[in-house]
Structure formats: structure tokens, C-alpha cells
Amino acid sequence: MAVKKSALYSSLWASCDSLRGGMDSSQYKDYILTLLFVKYVSDKYKGVDYGDIEVPEGGSFDDMLALIGAKNIGEEMDKIIAKLAEANNLRGVIDNAHFNDEDKLGKGKEMVDKLSELLAIFRDQMPNFSSNHADGDDIIGDAYEYLMKNFATESGKSKGQFYTPAEVSRILAKVVGIEHATGNDVTLYDCAAGSGSLLIRAAEAAPVEVAIYGQEKDVTTAGLARMNLVLHNRATAEIKGGYSTFSNPMFKNPNDDSVLRQFDFAVVNPPFSDKNWTHGLVEYGRFDGYGDMPPQRNGDFAWLMHIIKSLKRNGKAAVILPHGVLFRGNAEATIRKSLIDRGFIKGIIGLPANLFYGTGIPACIIVIDKENADERDGILMVDASRDFVKDGNKNRLRERDVYKISTVFNSQLEFDKYSRFVPFDEIKEKNAYNLNIPRYIDSSVTEDLQSIDGHLKGGIPAVDVESLSNYWTVFPNLKGQLFEHLRDGFENVTVSKDEVRDTIYSDTEFSAYADTVEHAFETFKAIIDNKLRTISDDTKPKELIKELAEVILTNFEAVTLVDKYDAYEVLLSYWNEVMSDDVYLIVQDGYKVIRDIEVFYSEKKKKDGTTEKKETGWDGKLIPKALIVEMFYDKEKKAIDAAELIVANLQAELDEFVENVTEEDDEDTVEKEVKKRKREISDKNKVLKELQSALDTKCRDNYHEINDEQCIELLLYRKWYRTIENGIFGLYTAVSHSIADRVAELNERYVQTLPQLESELEQFERKVKSHLERMGFVW
């Protein structure tokens, strides 16, 4: 049976609990990820001839399970992993975590219990990955990425550098140009591979198979990357670990090892401001022809120059670097001038600050394209620094941000305060080769200036009213309902503060606008409906959401005031949180999974060491119980609501009675009354629980009897469409709030003139002075 991604993620994260305490997340991640790898390859390749991975006898996850409770469990688990590593040339890759380490896992029974519990979680709460095939086994690869993201978050600034946020990885994959790759010999490279996520995202974006190459100095992190690639069905990728890219680059020309190997594409997030890049440096001609060497104590340009040297004649790269490379002087200015003059830089994308786990400084993506470099006449600059959402103590790019950045860049679009194609003469002659984005794009928020004349004489400046012109274009009559001419250059609000919102909602043009938004959504539904009714085991969920996303973008393109990227965010957020899980389950088990339920248990260890399970509740696997009640048991739900109201009212009456008791009231009488009322509440609560239990039993007994048509009604219309529609309606509502809030703000700002305020102040001063004089104070 298929498993939800969210359920798998929860199980994996719960497995970490069994290791917390003895080590921090930067260490226990290696244990969890290694076990996940061993289970996956065992499920998928055990007994399979000529598979990507050989699972030898005595080297499988089943062999580990046989060790549960064994005194030498840690030692034997290490032997099993060693056999698997030896059979697949994975020494130093999957055997970095030592399961017999008493310092980390405890001694004797503590180690036995800890490892036995960990194996039991992997056995009981995770699926057989051999039968999970939707979207090319991405469930396990995505689970691996999920764990690395959480480990990076827990590890903090000093140890989270191994992971590049998935949203940033996807942008690099989209803007590097690999989606246009052709042929059967395309190569992809990352010289600071980390956990391999950049390589994976770029390879996924390619329409053809690509050969993957990566180098990572840290041996353990290189192991993470190797496992990550295997789990994403990229087992043939070459990841070299343990050596510095500058002292010992591992990929050289096969015909001349004094020359670096060159690749078609590169995606890289190198260490920022690397101070040790010159240690053991061998140049390989990487820095020739740029007029200077990179600074000895800052390797940002050293990495960029290595990447450029590692690209073929028409090669392309997307590289994440700190903003300083755009404007720092001295040697870096000389190198930057050379790069611009050669035409290597196709574009620069400014990212928000605090996205990365290793640093909080703002970064940018520099897109390198050697193809037609000599004909390039400018650089596309994108300032996406303001587009993000707070996520804990970090910032995070939203789905809409990823889509907007990649679409604007790939289509070379220009938007005010966001993107601009800057010609070389402006860069070279007017700005002396300085690429600092604010020099070319003013993305600052327009200052809200206040009018002295308005404060002195009253009235709202006409310029402020006209700043809402995008609304007046859509609702031309609304302006006349809210404002009237006061004097030259100033308007007056015609309604009270409390009437502004009602005036907007009652406007006929605003009502018609609601119909426009609704029509766009209904058209979206009509186009995608058949796709969602015909999901099968051939459906690729990631391809499906791409299609749905394009449809919603197209349909909201012409809807003014509602940003199509916001509509896109509504859909993609719901997909990531809920809908992708649902689609994945349907791909695995068919629409019959809609009738499945999940039973929840609590576990309690008994004195004899056994575990007692107790049912704590249940719900539909895809369809929440509440929707079943809504559709089939409205009468019963109303009875329960009425019973709950009776109980609530009785409790409120009791509380009020107790609150009003005084010392004069007879204690015995009060006590009897309280007991009487409590008995009544108890009796009504009993009735309520009986009604709830009866409804719960009805739901559970009849869940499997829902017919196909009712299943579709519940899933598509009452769950998926309703949730997305509520999100879209929220965008429409935000339009009215935006107008109303701004009108109220302007009215409050200028409703009292300065002379009126001074007059009020004088009155208050006179009152205070009079009051003080009556109290005998004289001054």
C-alpha cells in the first residue's frame, strides 16, 4: 500500500528522536541517512540481476532487522554496511557512520535498545520502496532532501553549509539553460557539490540523460551526495570526495591531465569568501588572461574562474556568490572588467538575504554563457531581494518567487523595479564596470510623502488619490463615491471611516469584478477537471502540477489587480501541503484509496517490556471525516451542534450563578444548586457523547460504501477545488482591504488640520490649568 510523503517524512523525523541526546544533528544525520539508503537499495535491488546497486548476501536491510535485540547489534550493523559498500565501490561513502560507536550510541543495553528502536521504526513505519514508483521513485529522493533540509536547519550556521535550499537549487536548474540540452553526451558539473541537490535539480530539468560529475572536499558530505544521487536514480553519477578543487581538481582532460576537463553545464554554490582557497594551489591556467589573480584571502572569484575554465566553448553555468563580487575593487575589479568585456556574464539575479544555512548575507546568482559571448551587448539584471517569506529564523523563497525569477530571466522580461536589460555602455562608461544591482534597478518602496498644505488646511492631496489609479481604472465610479473635490489639488472623503468597506462592497463594478475572478477560476476548473478525474499509474505528479500551474497562470493573466503569481502561489502551496500527497496515493492505489481510512494508536511500554497499542482515533486517508459528515450526515451533525450548544449554555449559566454567589447566600442551598446543575450538565454531556459516538460509528461503517461519483465529488469539489477557491477568494478580498485601508489611512491623516489640533490642545491646557488651580496649585 502506498504511503503519504508527509507520513514518511514524519516517520523519518521521528526516527531521529531515538538518537537525539548522544550527538547533535550534524552527526546523527549520517546514521539516519545511511539507514534510509540501505533500506531503499535493499527494497529495490535485492535479488535483482544487473541493477544499479548490488545487494550482496549478508549486506541487506533484512539482515539488519535480524539483529534487533542482539547484544552485538552495532558491530554487526557495521559489518552489513561494509559488505554493501564493498560490493558497490562505496567505501568511504556509506560507511562513515559507525553504529558501534559507544560514545555516540551508548554502551551495552543502551546501544541495543537505541538501535533496535531505530530499526523497528524503519521496519514498521516506512513502505517497501520497491512498490513505490510514482514520479520515478522521487518519494525516497524527496524524503532524503527533506531530512537534509531539517538537519541543516538544526545544525545552524556553522554546519549547515552542505545543503542549498531546494527553491534556490530549482532556480539555478531553470536559468542555466539545461532544459534546452540536446544529444546523448551532455555533461553536468558541480565543483563544490555539497549534498548533490544542485546536480539533481539540474539533471531533472534536462530533457535528455546527462552525465553527472561532482567534487566535494568533505568526505562525509561527498558520501551524502553519492547516496542522494542513487536515491534519485542517478547512480552513475561520479562524485569525487576528499580533495580540494584548487589543489587537486579531480576531473581532468582524459588525453592531457595537465588540462582541466570541460563540461556543457555547471551549477555551483561554492563556499562564500573562501579564505583557504590557495592552500596547495595548482593553477591549471584557470586565472590566465584576466589581468590579475583573485585575492589570496577571498576565493569568490577563484571559484568563478575555475568554473569558467571548466566549461566547454559554448558552456553555461549558474553560480551562487555573495553580492560583494558585483562591486568590490582592486584585483576583483580587474577580473570583473575582463569578464564583462569578454561577454561571459549573461545575467545577474539578486536574492534575498538570509536564505542560506551557512550565512545570513545576501547573495546573487551569476549566469555565465560562453555561447555567443562575443555578440552579447548587455546583461539582464533581476532584483528579487524583496520577494520572500519568513520561515523560522531564515527567509524562504515562495513558489511564486521561483517561478517569477526563472520566467522573467528565461524570457528576458523587463519589469519596473524588478528586472532590466542593462546595455554594456551603461555598465562600462557610466558605472565603471560596477555591477551592483541598485545602480541599475531602483527597487525601493516609494516614500509616502505627507502634505503640509493638507495638514494646515485639510483635505487629502489629489496625488494620493491618484496613486490608487490602478483601482479607479477597474472601478471608475467608486472613486466618485468615496471622494469629492475640496479645492485645487485636494479631495475630501465623502463617507465615514466605518462606511468605507461597505461602500466598496456595494459598488456594482466591484461586484462585477468578483464575477471576473470567479469566471477565471471556473474556467481553470473546467480545463483541469478531466485531468484530475483520470489520474492513473501512468500519471507523473510533477508533470501534472506543471500543467495545472500553467493553466492557472493563463487564466489569471487578464485579471487585473490580482497578481497571477499570487494565484500560482495559492495552487502550489496547496499542492505542496496536501494535494501532491493525494495525487501520489491515487497514482499508487487508484481512486479506491479515497475510501481508505487511517487508524491512529498510542503506544505504552508495559513492565514486562512489551508494547501496548491503544486506538486513539481515525480519519479518512484522503477525505477528512468532516467532509463525509458534511455530505451525508447533516441531520446528525445539527443534532450534535444543538447538544453542544445546550451544554455550553448550561455551563455558562452555572459559571454565572457561581460568580454571583454572595456571603449572604445559604451555603447548603448554593451547594445543592451547583450539584444539581452539574448533574444536568453531566447528563447532557452523556447524550452529546452518545450522539458523537453514533455518528463516528456510522461514518466508519459506511466509508467503504461511498460510490465512485461521490468519491469524485468529495475529493475534487469539496476538498481540492474548495480549498483553492478559498485561497483565490482571499486574493479578491485583499483588493477591497487594500483600497479601504489606504482610504482610511489618508482620511485619518488629514481629517484634523493643524489649527484644529492646536485649538484642541489649547482647550485641554485650559482645562488642566483650571483643574490644578482648584486643587491649590498656582504658578
Side-chain angles (χ1 to χ4, degrees):
M1 182 178 289
V3 63
K4 289 184 179 180
K5 283 188 178 184
S6 55
L8 174 59
Y9 296 170
S10 296
S11 297
L12 283 169
W13 200 238
S15 69
C16 300
D17 290 334
S18 61
L19 294 181
R20 288 188 177 98
M23 63 193 97
D24 65 33
S25 60
S26 66
Q27 296 172 313
Y28 67 67
K29 75 176 189 299
D30 301 328
Y31 292 87
I32 302 300
L33 295 174
T34 298
L35 274 186
L36 181 62
F37 179 85
V38 173
K39 175 163 172 50
Y40 171 79
V41 298
S42 298
D43 286 351
K44 188 170 184 183
Y45 297 114
K46 185 178 180 180
V48 176
D49 294 330
Y50 310 112
D52 288 341
I53 297 290
E54 178 190 347
V55 181
E57 185 175 348
S60 73
F61 184 71
D62 289 334
D63 296 305
M64 287 187 173
L65 293 182
L67 298 171
I68 290 179
K71 290 183 179 179
N72 59 343
I73 184 171
E75 178 184 357
E76 293 302 315
M77 286 178 71
D78 282 343
K79 290 180 180 178
I80 290 168
I81 293 169
K83 287 182 181 179
L84 184 61
E86 190 68 40
N88 295 280
N89 194 26
L90 292 175
R91 283 285 191 184
V93 175
I94 66 171
D95 53 0
N96 295 311
H98 302 294
F99 287 84
N100 200 36
D101 190 329
E102 294 181 341
D103 292 333
K104 294 176 181 175
L105 296 168
K107 299 180 180 180
K109 189 175 185 302
E110 182 184 358
M111 176 186 286
V112 173
D113 290 348
K114 191 172 286 188
L115 292 178
S116 294
E117 180 184 350
L118 186 60
L119 287 171
I121 291 172
F122 273 75
R123 177 195 63 198
D124 299 337
Q125 299 186 26
M126 294 184 201
N128 184 328
F129 293 119
S130 65
S131 61
N132 283 267
H133 59 273
D135 229 8
D137 282 312
D138 273 352
I139 182 172
I140 187 64
D142 290 349
Y144 192 86
E145 292 269 332
Y146 163 84
L147 282 173
M148 284 194 291
K149 175 185 176 181
N150 281 274
F151 290 139
T153 302
E154 279 204 347
S155 297
K157 183 175 180 179
S158 61
K159 298 174 182 176
Q161 300 96 323
F162 62 86
Y163 180 74
T164 300
E167 298 83 9
V168 180
S169 299
R170 285 162 48 208
I171 291 174
L172 266 69
K174 290 174 183 290
V175 302
V176 76
I178 200 168
E179 62 185 19
H180 303 298
T182 57
N184 56 8
D185 58 351
V186 178
T187 54
L188 174 64
Y189 176 57
D190 185 348
C191 52
S195 62
S197 59
L198 287 177
L199 290 168
I200 289 166
R201 296 303 173 209
E204 288 175 341
V208 296
E209 286 298 315
V210 299
I212 298 172
Y213 303 88
Q215 181 165 347
E216 168 55 46
K217 183 177 181 180
D218 184 86
V219 174
T220 302
T221 303
L224 294 181
R226 182 78 177 92
M227 288 190 283
N228 197 8
L229 285 152
V230 170
L231 295 175
H232 279 91
N233 286 326
R234 309 281 174 181
T236 58
E238 288 188 43
I239 302 295
K240 305 289 188 181
Y243 299 95
S244 162
T245 297
F246 293 107
S247 64
N248 190 2
M250 300 300 293
F251 297 101
K252 303 184 184 73
N253 189 311
N255 299 317
D256 183 354
D257 64 4
S258 67
V259 177
L260 295 178
R261 181 170 182 172
Q262 294 186 315
F263 305 90
D264 296 297
F265 298 93
V267 283
V268 190
N269 179 14
F272 286 3
S273 305
D274 186 356
K275 293 179 173 58
N276 302 315
W277 73 274
T278 59
H279 292 182
L281 174 67
V282 181
E283 291 195 16
Y284 288 95
R286 286 177 276 206
F287 314 115
D288 297 344
Y290 291 93
D292 211 334
M293 282 281 290
Q296 185 174 355
R297 300 294 290 168
N298 190 320
D300 292 333
F301 269 103
W303 283 101
L304 185 59
M305 295 160 83
H306 168 81
I307 293 161
I308 292 172
K309 188 68 174 179
S310 300
L311 291 176
K312 293 180 180 177
R313 182 171 54 86
N314 291 333
K316 308 174 194 323
V319 187
I320 302 169
L321 290 169
H323 263 286
V325 299
L326 303 178
F327 54 80
R328 289 194 298 250
N330 301 318
E332 292 183 313
T334 303
I335 297 167
R336 185 169 58 245
K337 178 180 182 299
S338 180
L339 289 172
I340 295 170
D341 286 337
R342 293 187 184 194
F344 284 162
I345 302 176
K346 179 181 180 180
I348 300 169
I349 300 166
L351 297 173
N354 201 29
L355 286 180
F356 300 94
Y357 295 98
T359 179
I361 66 173
C364 63
I365 299 172
I366 296 183
V367 182
I368 299 294
D369 190 352
K370 286 186 174 180
E371 187 173 11
N372 302 320
D374 55 343
E375 299 175 11
R376 189 160 288 125
D377 57 0
I379 296 173
L380 182 73
M381 296 193 179
V382 178
D383 186 351
S385 60
R386 295 181 179 275
D387 291 353
F388 63 89
V389 65
K390 292 294 295 181
D391 187 6
N393 62 353
K394 306 299 294 181
N395 294 331
R396 176 174 57 82
L397 295 171
R398 299 160 294 184
E399 291 293 339
R400 57 156 289 157
D401 304 324
V402 174
Y403 182 87
K404 185 176 181 181
I405 290 169
S406 55
T407 302
V408 165
F409 186 87
N410 290 331
S411 301
Q412 298 283 288
L413 302 177
E414 293 187 285
F415 289 113
D416 185 42
K417 293 183 175 292
Y418 186 78
S419 59
R420 183 177 165 227
F421 183 82
V422 184
F424 277 146
D425 60 352
E426 183 177 348
I427 294 171
K428 297 176 181 180
E429 297 169 15
K430 295 182 180 180
N431 289 284
Y433 292 87
N434 188 313
L435 294 176
N436 198 18
I437 295 174
R439 283 177 175 251
Y440 307 97
I441 300 174
D442 178 13
S443 62
S444 60
V445 178
T446 303
E447 189 177 356
D448 188 12
L449 300 175
Q450 300 202 26
S451 167
I452 295 176
D453 196 5
H455 283 301
L456 290 173
K457 300 177 182 178
I460 297 172
V463 67
D464 284 335
V465 177
E466 288 309 311
S467 69
L468 299 169
S469 59
N470 56 328
Y471 297 109
W472 310 142
T473 302
V474 182
F475 318 123
N477 294 325
L478 183 58
K479 178 182 175 183
Q481 295 181 53
L482 292 172
F483 297 97
E484 64 182 3
H485 180 71
L486 178 64
R487 65 178 189 280
D488 189 29
F490 289 86
E491 305 279 328
N492 227 1
V493 176
T494 60
V495 297
S496 69
K497 179 181 178 181
D498 295 335
E499 294 175 322
V500 171
R501 209 173 300 277
D502 289 339
T503 302
I504 294 171
Y505 278 118
S506 61
D507 179 67
T508 54
E509 291 163 338
F510 189 79
S511 299
Y513 176 71
D515 296 336
T516 301
V517 176
E518 183 178 1
H519 176 72
F521 182 72
E522 290 300 323
T523 305
F524 162 72
K525 275 171 46 179
I527 295 172
I528 68 169
D529 193 73
N530 189 59
K531 293 182 184 295
L532 298 182
R533 290 173 179 267
T534 55
I535 295 169
S536 69
D537 57 0
D538 292 326
T539 299
K540 300 289 187 185
K542 291 186 178 180
E543 292 301 316
L544 175 63
I545 187 55
K546 284 182 183 177
E547 293 181 44
L548 302 188
E550 288 300 327
V551 174
I552 204 166
L553 283 163
T554 300
N555 278 278
F556 280 86
E557 177 79 44
V559 180
T560 52
L561 303 182
V562 169
D563 190 331
K564 68 176 182 179
Y565 296 114
D566 286 333
Y568 176 90
E569 180 68 22
V570 168
L571 173 63
L572 267 292
S573 292
Y574 184 58
W575 173 269
N576 291 334
E577 293 168 9
V578 175
M579 195 173 169
S580 61
D581 252 356
D582 295 350
V583 169
Y584 178 82
L585 289 177
I586 295 169
V587 169
Q588 292 290 303
D589 292 343
Y591 286 95
K592 67 179 186 294
V593 74
I594 295 174
R595 301 182 182 91
D596 288 349
I597 65 171
E598 290 181 299
V599 181
F600 308 117
Y601 299 93
S602 63
E603 293 187 355
K604 183 179 179 181
K605 283 194 174 181
K606 299 168 71 174
K607 290 182 179 180
D608 61 3
T610 60
T611 301
E612 181 182 38
K613 292 177 70 174
K614 182 179 179 182
E615 183 177 331
T616 57
W618 68 277
D619 204 347
K621 197 167 190 177
L622 251 68
I623 305 299
K625 189 193 312 181
L627 292 184
I628 300 292
V629 171
E630 174 193 292
M631 185 168 178
F632 298 107
Y633 300 108
D634 183 60
K635 180 181 176 182
E636 290 85 346
K637 182 65 169 62
K638 286 180 178 177
I640 289 172
D641 290 343
E644 287 177 338
L645 183 60
I646 290 171
V647 171
N649 288 339
L650 289 173
Q651 185 63 53
E653 290 171 3
L654 173 58
D655 293 342
E656 184 179 3
F657 173 79
V658 172
E659 190 177 332
N660 292 329
V661 170
T662 65
E663 292 181 358
E664 288 78 20
D665 292 324
D666 181 67
E667 277 189 34
D668 291 340
T669 303
V670 169
E671 187 178 350
K672 287 178 181 178
E673 182 63 23
V674 169
K675 285 182 178 179
K676 173 190 168 187
R677 294 190 180 213
K678 283 186 175 180
R679 279 196 302 270
E680 186 178 7
I681 292 172
S682 177
D683 291 341
K684 296 299 182 184
N685 260 323
K686 184 179 179 182
V687 172
L688 173 60
K689 289 178 181 178
E690 289 172 352
L691 290 171
Q692 290 171 331
S693 178
L695 176 57
D696 192 72
T697 301
K698 275 186 179 181
C699 281
R700 188 163 180 171
D701 290 346
N702 294 329
Y703 228 96
H704 303 293
E705 304 303 319
I706 304 170
N707 63 42
D708 292 347
E709 185 178 339
Q710 290 168 337
C711 282
I712 295 297
E713 161 75 15
L714 283 161
L715 182 64
L716 266 64
Y717 288 88
R718 294 181 184 250
K719 186 180 181 184
W720 290 351
Y721 291 158
R722 179 187 290 177
T723 305
I724 299 169
E725 186 174 21
N726 287 342
I728 297 296
F729 182 75
L731 301 179
Y732 157 75
T733 304
V735 171
S736 71
H737 287 328
S738 180
I739 305 172
D741 291 346
R742 182 57 174 164
V743 171
E745 180 185 27
L746 291 171
N747 186 46
E748 189 171 339
R749 179 181 296 173
Y750 296 106
V751 68
Q752 285 185 296
T753 65
L754 182 60
Q756 288 172 333
L757 291 171
E758 288 176 337
S759 176
E760 282 189 16
L761 180 60
E762 288 176 2
Q763 292 178 31
F764 285 129
E765 285 179 342
R766 285 196 297 270
K767 288 180 180 179
V768 171
K769 184 178 180 180
S770 174
H771 185 64
L772 290 172
E773 287 175 346
R774 288 197 301 272
M775 295 173 64
F777 293 98
V778 180
W779 64 95

